[in-house]
Amino acid sequence: MSAAPSSLRAFLVAGAGIMVYTVMDALMKQLSIDSGAYNAVLWRSVAGAVLCAVVFVARGRRWPAWGVLKLHIGRGVSAGASVVLFFWGLARVPMAQGVALTFLAPLIALYLAALFLGETIRRAAIIGSLVASVGVLAIAAGEVQADASTQAVLGSLACVAASILYAASLIFLRQQAQAADPLEVALFSSLVIGAMLLPAAPWLVAVPAPSQLGALIGAALLNIASVMALAWAYARAEAQVLAPVEYSAFVWAAITGWIVFGETVSPYTVVGALLIVAGCIVAVRRRVPAVQSEAGA
């Protein structure tokens, strides 16, 4: 009768994936501070590829067809460039501020979905995204005034650039998730990102210290779980329905930033978070068409 229950389920699974990813962000921020964003992303990708490959081979899976492989490569390249920029920026700004600046991505993804996937942008999705974007502006107003150093400005710009590339990766993910299962998506995400970064290894790579191995493996496992959850969700709902769930990352970023790095949350953050949640609710809500009952007529 309606696709709404399926979309809501996909929305909730995507929300869980975003929560897991934000916890991973905290690990990656510390690794980026310690070893640089390049090394953090490279070694996370290597660990993720190895972990996924073991399960992939054990299940007797086959190498994907060229058409599917092109989707894996497209998303891997866009996501890889995005995460390097994001974690470079995140090492220079508070987690809440960095994540807030990436919230341009769902807004961009709405229109990329219409352009490349032929999705019709519903009024509820547009209104929800606009409400959530007001929340982002409120957050940015409070966070940016706290630190206007050159490093903070560069970090913020890196996060904005990352959001544009991340929007493109969301569109690839929608196509990718319909052509491959979550395990394959997670495996090739790590493989492509690792392969993309590897050519710079002779100049930039540093072997992780033994004390960093736990954080690297933890980040890889959390990344795999997040990618698989998002792939499952994007296979079952339109990009415009799921894109606004990205806004929930701010709430988790504020919490993890406070717990792990002692970053404070301003009143702007509270107001912005409430607007973001309201926007997500509006965006995911589908209008149920009225059904005229003729029983007893």
Side-chain angles (χ1 to χ4, degrees):
M1 293 178 61
S2 173
S6 177
S7 293
L8 178 59
R9 196 158 45 242
F11 187 84
L12 293 174
V13 170
I18 293 298
M19 178 186 68
V20 170
Y21 193 87
T22 308
V23 175
M24 184 271 296
D25 281 347
L27 291 175
M28 289 295 289
K29 173 169 180 168
Q30 188 60 58
L31 289 167
S32 297
I33 292 171
D34 294 339
S35 303
Y38 171 85
N39 282 286
V41 176
L42 174 64
W43 290 113
R44 186 199 70 178
S45 299
V46 170
V50 171
L51 291 169
C52 287
V54 170
V55 180
F56 192 83
V57 173
R59 291 187 175 182
R61 304 293 301 278
R62 296 179 179 274
W63 192 261
W66 173 239
V68 179
L69 189 59
K70 286 194 293 185
L71 293 176
H72 291 323
I73 293 171
R75 179 173 182 270
V77 170
S78 57
S82 174
V83 295
V84 171
L85 282 168
F86 176 66
F87 290 124
W88 187 90
L90 198 62
R92 290 158 175 79
V93 298
M95 283 191 63
Q97 180 179 327
V99 169
L101 291 171
T102 66
F103 287 156
L104 290 169
L107 299 175
I108 297 169
L110 288 176
Y111 299 98
L112 290 180
L115 183 62
F116 294 107
L117 303 183
E119 295 183 5
T120 301
I121 301 176
R122 301 191 327 275
R123 181 181 300 176
I126 295 174
I127 294 173
S129 295
L130 290 174
V131 172
S133 68
V134 173
V136 172
L137 291 174
I139 291 161
E143 296 291 341
V144 171
Q145 69 179 1
D147 189 349
S149 68
T150 301
Q151 285 296 308
V153 171
L154 292 175
S156 296
L157 291 174
C159 290
V160 171
S163 73
I164 298 171
L165 291 165
Y166 184 58
S169 78
L170 289 178
I171 301 306
F172 278 114
L173 178 58
R174 170 66 172 162
Q175 297 172 302
Q176 187 185 27
Q178 293 177 316
D181 67 16
L183 175 61
E184 185 177 312
V185 171
L187 170 61
F188 281 89
S189 177
S190 293
L191 278 176
V192 173
I193 292 174
M196 184 182 74
L197 297 178
L198 209 54
W203 299 275
L204 298 176
V205 75
V207 177
S211 60
Q212 295 177 315
L213 293 179
L216 276 171
I217 294 173
L221 289 171
L222 291 172
N223 184 59
I224 291 168
S226 175
V227 170
M228 291 182 69
L230 289 171
W232 186 93
Y234 272 83
R236 290 161 175 80
E238 292 181 346
Q240 65 171 313
V241 171
L242 297 178
V245 79
E246 301 286 335
Y247 294 127
S248 66
F250 179 79
V251 178
W252 306 117
I255 293 171
T256 54
W258 174 60
I259 293 173
V260 179
F261 300 102
E263 298 168 354
T264 58
V265 179
S266 70
Y268 290 93
T269 299
V270 177
V271 173
L274 291 174
L275 287 168
I276 287 168
V277 172
C280 288
I281 293 172
V282 170
V284 76
R285 182 169 55 87
R286 284 183 180 272
R287 184 173 58 188
V288 180
V291 178
Q292 292 183 348
S293 174
E294 298 182 358

